[in-house]
Amino acid sequence: MFLGIFLLTLAIFWTERRLVISDPITTKYIINHPLFVFGPGHEKAVNVSFGYGSIVLVSADRHRYLRNNIMNPSFSAKNVRAALPTIREIGRKLADRWEALGFPGNTVDISGTLSDAALDVMGDVILEHSFNALGGESEVGRLQRTLLNMVSSPTKFAQLIDAALSYVPDLIFRVLYYLPIQALHILREYKKITDDLSAQLAARARDEGPSDTPDFVGAFVRDDTVPDGEIGVHLRTVLTAGEDTTGTTLGWILYKLAQMPDLQQELRREIQLAAQKEMPDYDNMALLNAIINASAALLFPGELLNKHIYSGGFALAFLGGPGVCLGWRLAISELQVFVVELVGRFVLSLPENDSVRARVAMTLVAESADGKRGIPLHVEHVT
Ligand code: HEM
């Protein structure tokens, strides 16, 4: 079979022409164009990872329906504002986790803890379910990380399969899913555990009935157009869309601050001033928001972006139009709170042998010269 895939891929490389675009403004224009559809390879990858019916692939009508009738309330400005104390609590747990893991005084890879915090926000704020990823107890977190690492560190063989994907008929693809391959085994395990979780959350939503506050899974349960078996698909979409994106962005912000100690110190002064209030006024912290805003440039590097970065506001990183990131308000709030908690408590600097560089995978992945994924930084207490 491997030989078959190899020959097929070779034939594709010889005959297929691909146009690769990295400019963010052009990308945004194309993605928002009514004629735009994802290619069959991407479609298959999404279907196999999340299951059929995910918001990222459905028709325009269904997309509008899922967002407006079911998903939007959980991510509204009102709900995100109400979640601020919970996000802050998770931010404190994140900083405590750094203490517990002995980060101060050492050079450590900070990236895993950041994604854990992002997963805990989705659990506590959106699902009302504690993953306790920061406590090191989340199987969903572990499996999701393994899968994302596999996708973002593709082996040569995986790259060949990716190129061949578009040409494999759907039926065969569904059969291939059950092959005894380690990566597919992890994917099946992840799907089972998230399907079990959605069944558990759906049963709870049925028991408790409609609530005054938005209930992500409950909204699917109470909608006639969504079969029970599809709820896991939406759960996986949101968990995947919200974890690595937020964790990676936060990682790059902290890395940049470690690279620029003066800017970091200036930000710390802004944080100390804001901390005089019981709840900092995050939206009015000019330097903090400029730095978060600039992180768009890291996610979508390109010369054009630099001209638009301060005028485009947050919107660029989250794209725009009907498919604009559903969780953008939540993500901004997480970034604000986590940066304030971490930079308020720790001084970050680059280790002497720093070789972190960016590689474009699904997000902008950070890896060292030896190809190891992560962001090693030197951490000290603020004195
Ligand atoms: C810094 C963090 C984040 C970044 C940079 C980001 C970026 C994006 C981008 C660029 C898209 C559009 C993708 C496309 O059209 O193909 C998107 C879509 C989406 N994002 Fe985010 N995202 C972030 C955080 C989150 C969070 C925290 C959640 C949820 C908890 C989330 C949920 C989603 C969903 C569900 C979609 C699909 C929306 C649709 O198709 O209508 N994202 N995100």
Side-chain angles (χ1 to χ4, degrees):
M1 188 200 66
F2 292 155
L3 182 67
I5 292 176
F6 180 72
L7 289 176
L8 177 63
T9 312
L10 216 58
I12 294 163
F13 279 150
W14 243 270
T15 54
E16 192 184 81
R17 291 280 172 272
R18 285 186 180 193
L19 175 64
V20 178
I21 294 164
S22 64
D23 170 60
I25 308 287
T26 316
T27 311
K28 186 174 168 179
Y29 175 81
I30 293 174
I31 287 182
N32 286 323
H33 197 280
L35 288 179
F36 173 79
V37 284
F38 283 112
H42 180 82
E43 207 172 293
K44 287 199 173 77
V46 170
N47 284 336
V48 81
S49 317
F50 302 150
Y52 289 79
S54 168
I55 189 165
V56 297
L57 279 190
V58 289
S59 69
D61 282 351
R62 180 70 179 155
H63 181 261
R64 209 172 306 117
Y65 183 86
L66 285 175
R67 276 188 84 123
N68 295 346
N69 295 30
I70 306 180
M71 295 169 91
N72 274 349
S74 290
F75 297 93
S76 67
K78 187 172 164 225
N79 207 37
V80 170
R81 217 175 306 117
L84 198 54
T86 309
I87 300 174
R88 200 169 180 214
E89 191 51 43
I90 295 170
R92 288 191 175 139
K93 274 194 203 157
L94 170 61
D96 290 344
R97 181 79 179 149
W98 280 27
E99 299 279 5
L101 290 171
F103 281 13
N106 288 301
T107 295
V108 282
D109 173 18
I110 57 162
S111 59
T113 54
L114 309 180
S115 297
D116 284 342
L119 184 62
D120 279 347
V121 169
M122 277 184 298
D124 290 3
V125 172
I126 302 297
L127 304 173
E128 290 182 41
H129 168 82
S130 170
F131 285 115
N132 195 10
L134 277 172
E137 285 175 13
S138 174
E139 189 60 3
V140 170
R142 189 186 66 77
L143 290 169
Q144 196 157 286
R145 183 88 37 78
T146 312
L147 286 170
L148 285 167
N149 280 343
M150 282 184 329
V151 177
S152 60
S153 333
T155 59
K156 293 263 179 305
F157 180 64
Q159 286 177 21
L160 286 181
I161 293 204
D162 180 51
L165 219 56
S166 330
Y167 299 87
V168 181
D170 219 39
L171 193 67
I172 296 185
F173 196 69
R174 288 181 195 220
V175 177
L176 291 180
Y177 173 70
Y178 293 97
L179 283 178
I181 293 174
Q182 172 70 358
L184 290 175
H185 174 72
I186 296 171
L187 180 59
R188 289 191 294 265
E189 207 182 325
Y190 172 65
K191 272 189 163 168
K192 183 178 174 332
I193 208 168
T194 42
D195 276 339
D196 290 350
L197 174 62
S198 48
Q200 182 194 325
L201 295 176
R204 188 186 68 188
R206 276 195 194 92
D207 282 353
E208 291 177 356
S211 66
D212 295 339
T213 50
D215 168 8
F216 183 78
V217 170
F220 283 104
V221 167
R222 283 182 276 283
D223 189 278
D224 294 341
T225 70
V226 180
D228 269 11
E230 197 185 285
I231 299 177
V233 177
H234 302 295
L235 185 76
R236 279 186 285 280
T237 305
V238 166
L239 289 181
T240 311
E243 186 194 340
D244 205 41
T245 46
T246 314
T248 307
T249 312
L250 181 58
W252 280 118
I253 292 173
L254 297 177
Y255 179 78
K256 279 285 154 190
L257 288 171
Q259 222 173 30
M260 298 188 232
D262 293 347
L263 183 70
Q264 187 184 148
Q265 187 50 29
E266 205 182 321
L267 174 64
R268 192 166 293 113
R269 272 196 292 274
E270 187 181 67
I271 292 172
Q272 283 157 353
L273 215 65
Q276 288 169 2
K277 284 191 192 159
E278 201 182 320
M279 178 65 85
D281 188 356
Y282 297 100
D283 286 341
N284 278 327
M285 296 177 70
L287 187 55
L288 171 73
N289 290 303
I291 291 168
I292 292 175
N293 211 350
S295 66
L298 293 163
L299 280 172
F300 292 96
E303 271 181 36
L304 244 185
L305 182 66
N306 295 331
K307 293 190 198 132
H308 290 263
I309 185 166
Y310 292 105
S311 55
F314 295 130
L316 266 178
F318 302 104
L319 291 181
V324 63
C325 173
L326 185 66
W328 73 268
R329 288 192 192 87
L330 183 65
I332 294 290
S333 196
E334 286 179 58
L335 295 174
Q336 290 173 328
V337 172
F338 294 167
V339 170
V340 165
E341 292 299 326
L342 293 174
V343 176
R345 256 163 89 170
F346 304 105
V347 179
L348 306 167
S349 56
L350 294 185
E352 261 173 37
N353 59 350
D354 168 57
S355 66
V356 166
R357 60 192 179 190
R359 187 168 53 76
V360 179
M362 265 193 320
T363 53
L364 208 60
V365 170
E367 65 181 22
S368 301
D370 57 5
K372 203 162 164 251
R373 201 179 154 172
I375 305 185
L377 289 184
H378 187 77
V379 181
E380 288 291 347
H381 280 124
V382 171
T383 47

